[in-house]
Amino acid sequence: MEPERPFDPAFEAPVILDRGRHPVSRRDIDPDALKVLYRLSNHGLTAYLVGGAVRDLLLGRRPADFDVGTNARPNQIKKLFRNAFLIGRRFRLAHIKFHGGKTIEVSTFRRKPDPEELEAEREELERRARDEAEAAAAAEAVTETAETAAEPQECAEDLPEHREDPEPPDREDAPLPGRRPGRPPIKPIAFGTPREDAFRRDLTINALFYDIATFSVIDYVGGLEDLELRRVRIIGDPDESYAEDPVRIWRVLRHAARLGFSIEERTAAAIPRHRERLSACPGSRLFEELNKDIKTGNSRPFFEAARAHGVLPLVLGGFGAFYERDDAAFSRLTALLAAHDAAVASGAPLPLDVAYALLLWPWAAPLLPALEGDKVKPLYDLFRETKPAALVPKILLYDAVQTLAIVEQMIQALETGKMRWSLKKRPHYPGASQLASLLLEGSFGEGEDPFAALYDRKFGSSHGPGPRPSASGDDRPRPRRRRRRKPKKPAPPSDRPA
Ligand code: ATP
Ligand code: MG
């Protein structure tokens, strides 16, 4: 007789919902992701849709991205897809590129890294996050202006380099070459079974698989039950999981906030024991997480959850601490974030730098009046001095503070009736116009230049695109005066005969 063992979900049979018993339909799966799944499957390989996509499809939401898990090794994947690029050194993922810049991420099932493997994995994650964050910031960055050109060194460093990682060894157990001379070679990550792959993930609701061969949903970790109960739960022991990767605290808060789910008791109770670790996480990774909440229009609920669980100062330094202690500023922030989230939901998201300007405004507004002269650099420096752990790329921060400096002038102009319309020439003017409209009117306004429309309604004047400096300081354009031609000088007397 077999010895009895204690209940351990790691050994239980998975719950399998066959096609008639779940709502996931291939119609809702990205066609390119389907192509990838079918090609793997047609070659006799296991091919699952994994991660957040399965969760979202089960909830009837549109997934942000479609990731694929397979038992194919990275080099096999590369051979199957001409458009596959292998990235990463330690755990190699395939990025299958499609038209329009779409990428389907395909990763080989792997097991939980052992403690030795963890550090290298962290470095890997950091490097990828840094590359992705920089690429995102550079892509969104407003065209360089004369002012941004004044900071060429800072900005140039932030631009990503496109680079392919070196060819991997073919065998799983072959060591990867060390990165620096004298350093020991890096052991490649150990691949795993689908079960092991489920257990290495963060949340139960993020560890569900959809099998393209049988159209069934496979659950090793109790994610289906948690979806049913509308709760977010860490897989395994939360203390161990957060210690292994503190960013999971952020992910717990995100998913609970985004889905309106509760946080399971043990998952929540362990947060205060580990949240301090967040501030030691790589800044680029934290920025990437922050960006996700901003871009997906989930910013208000996330900031509320982050404040409630005491993580704002840990990820955003003095800037986050300000929002944690100042109730009034935080409620101004949440109102702004709600407007931003609504803009994302309506399919008209703000450019990233304007979204960051919005995030900064309630903090910056009381500081701006005390700054003299060109306020951009001092405000930029003040933000840096708050030492946020999340590393906002310099170019993005610089764009955001330029927007804020214009917004401040707009708000003053609406009181004084004196607007420097020369600011219209700046690339940050349109974003500032939208943000000023939100602050003054409660909405981003209609049309290209909602601030000018507001100004016109108040002062009944038109304004032109060009600079119109005047002694009075009122730069409003004035009606063009006709220049009188100078009277022609009488022709000099000529002694030539007529
Ligand atoms: P989103 O809708 O924001 O994309 P997601 O759950 O898909 O949410 P991703 O960041 O795209 O999140 O990650 C894909 C999957 O990778 C997750 O669903 C989860 O299974 C796994 N994962 C991501 N981050 C971690 C982590 N820190 N620890 C363990 N597993 C993770
Ligand atoms: Mg995802």
Side-chain angles (χ1 to χ4, degrees):
M1 214 170 78
E2 261 193 64
E4 279 214 358
R5 57 173 171 73
F7 174 82
D8 183 341
F11 296 103
E12 296 306 312
V15 172
I16 297 178
L17 291 186
D18 51 32
R19 62 189 302 187
R21 294 169 58 215
H22 64 75
V24 177
S25 155
R26 276 165 292 162
R27 268 198 313 273
D28 301 324
I29 299 177
D30 179 277
D32 291 321
L34 274 180
K35 274 186 220 159
V36 172
L37 287 163
Y38 279 130
R39 183 162 317 167
L40 289 164
S41 183
N42 292 341
H43 281 79
L45 297 155
T46 306
Y48 294 164
L49 191 66
V50 298
V54 185
R55 173 201 69 216
D56 287 343
L57 291 171
L58 285 166
L59 289 171
R61 296 166 61 99
R62 202 149 63 91
D65 40 35
F66 291 84
D67 297 337
V68 170
T70 177
N71 61 348
R73 296 295 150 93
N75 287 346
Q76 264 178 299
I77 303 169
K78 174 112 180 136
K79 280 183 197 137
L80 280 177
F81 299 91
R82 267 190 311 137
N83 45 344
F85 297 82
L86 295 189
I87 61 149
R89 288 167 61 87
R90 184 169 185 77
F91 51 89
R92 301 188 64 81
L93 306 170
H95 276 181
I96 320 267
K97 303 274 183 192
F98 292 91
H99 288 298
K102 191 198 296 169
T103 299
I104 304 295
E105 191 168 288
V106 183
S107 42
T108 309
F109 299 130
R110 56 196 173 87
R111 61 165 170 74
K112 220 174 164 78
D114 62 32
E116 219 186 289
E117 292 166 332
L118 255 177
E119 199 195 332
E121 176 165 352
R122 283 202 192 106
E123 278 179 30
E124 182 88 38
L125 274 174
E126 181 189 352
R127 192 174 74 98
R128 281 176 52 204
R130 197 173 50 236
D131 288 353
E132 279 169 26
E134 288 171 356
E140 296 268 356
V142 179
T143 331
E144 201 174 278
T145 60
E147 297 121 296
T148 50
E151 293 267 309
Q153 294 311 316
E154 290 191 331
C155 298
E157 281 168 18
D158 270 352
L159 294 174
E161 239 178 70
H162 185 77
R163 128 190 94 198
E164 263 236 57
D165 290 312
E167 270 296 298
D170 232 19
R171 284 180 11 249
E172 178 188 336
D173 56 350
L176 292 165
R179 271 154 305 164
R180 288 185 215 125
R183 273 204 157 191
I186 309 163
K187 214 173 81 185
I189 200 89
F191 298 121
T193 61
R195 171 190 294 278
E196 285 171 324
D197 193 76
F199 277 93
R200 62 128 183 130
R201 291 173 185 271
D202 54 354
L203 310 176
T204 59
I205 56 170
N206 287 351
L208 299 164
F209 300 145
Y210 173 77
D211 181 2
I212 199 65
T214 58
F215 310 127
S216 55
V217 169
I218 304 171
D219 176 15
Y220 288 98
V221 294
L224 286 168
E225 188 191 4
D226 287 329
L227 276 182
E228 195 70 30
L229 296 172
R230 300 180 60 77
R231 71 176 182 192
V232 166
R233 183 161 61 96
I234 280 282
I235 296 172
D237 175 26
D239 284 297
E240 255 174 51
S241 182
Y242 295 152
E244 197 176 281
D245 182 4
V247 170
R248 289 175 186 159
I249 294 174
W250 192 317
R251 296 180 58 84
V252 164
L253 300 178
R254 158 173 319 126
H255 289 294
R258 187 196 286 177
L259 302 172
F261 279 22
S262 65
I263 303 177
E264 179 263 343
E265 215 174 298
R266 288 173 64 234
T267 300
I271 292 177
R273 294 196 285 275
H274 298 273
R275 64 185 168 206
E276 296 290 328
R277 295 172 192 260
L278 271 169
S279 55
C281 288
S284 44
R285 238 192 118 195
L286 294 177
F287 169 71
E288 191 189 34
E289 297 297 331
L290 176 62
N291 247 359
K292 280 189 195 168
D293 292 303
I294 289 181
K295 284 185 168 174
T296 55
N298 181 44
S299 59
R300 179 189 172 161
F302 171 73
F303 267 78
E304 285 171 342
R307 192 174 191 246
H309 289 268
V311 306
L312 281 184
L314 301 168
V315 293
L316 294 171
F319 171 72
F322 167 79
Y323 283 135
E324 189 173 77
R325 67 172 177 265
D326 191 325
D327 289 340
F330 189 72
S331 86
R332 280 195 294 278
L333 175 70
T334 50
L336 296 177
L337 293 176
H340 162 75
D341 292 345
V344 176
S346 74
L350 301 171
L352 195 58
D353 58 314
V354 184
Y356 273 83
L358 180 144
L359 182 60
L360 290 171
W361 176 257
W363 165 83
L367 302 173
L368 279 162
L371 304 178
E372 285 176 9
D374 180 6
K375 302 186 176 195
V376 173
K377 186 74 168 68
L379 188 59
Y380 176 97
D381 289 341
L382 280 176
F383 181 80
R384 285 273 184 240
E385 279 161 27
T386 68
K387 301 206 180 327
L391 191 70
V392 181
K394 292 168 185 170
I395 194 165
L396 179 60
L397 180 57
Y398 207 72
D399 282 334
V401 292
Q402 295 212 65
T403 304
L404 290 180
I406 300 177
V407 168
E408 194 208 16
Q409 298 206 30
M410 288 172 165
I411 290 175
Q412 282 171 0
L414 221 60
E415 284 167 15
T416 61
K418 294 175 183 172
M419 178 63 193
R420 268 179 62 202
W421 291 111
S422 55
L423 292 172
K424 270 196 162 189
K425 286 185 173 167
R426 305 236 183 130
H428 304 93
Y429 179 92
S433 177
Q434 275 186 297
L435 186 47
S437 165
L438 178 63
L439 293 166
L440 295 160
E441 292 276 87
S443 83
F444 288 114
E446 308 248 309
E448 291 226 322
D449 190 351
F451 167 73
L454 189 58
Y455 189 94
D456 282 358
R457 282 204 297 280
K458 186 154 181 197
F459 297 105
S461 65
S462 62
H463 43 81
R468 292 186 175 271
S470 74
S472 70
D474 181 354
D475 286 344
R476 257 175 307 160
R478 293 177 171 72
R480 278 182 82 128
R481 278 212 219 111
R482 281 254 212 92
R483 271 181 76 202
R484 282 234 224 101
R485 286 237 177 122
K486 280 189 188 169
K488 275 188 185 160
K489 279 187 192 162
S494 163
D495 42 17
R496 254 191 287 162

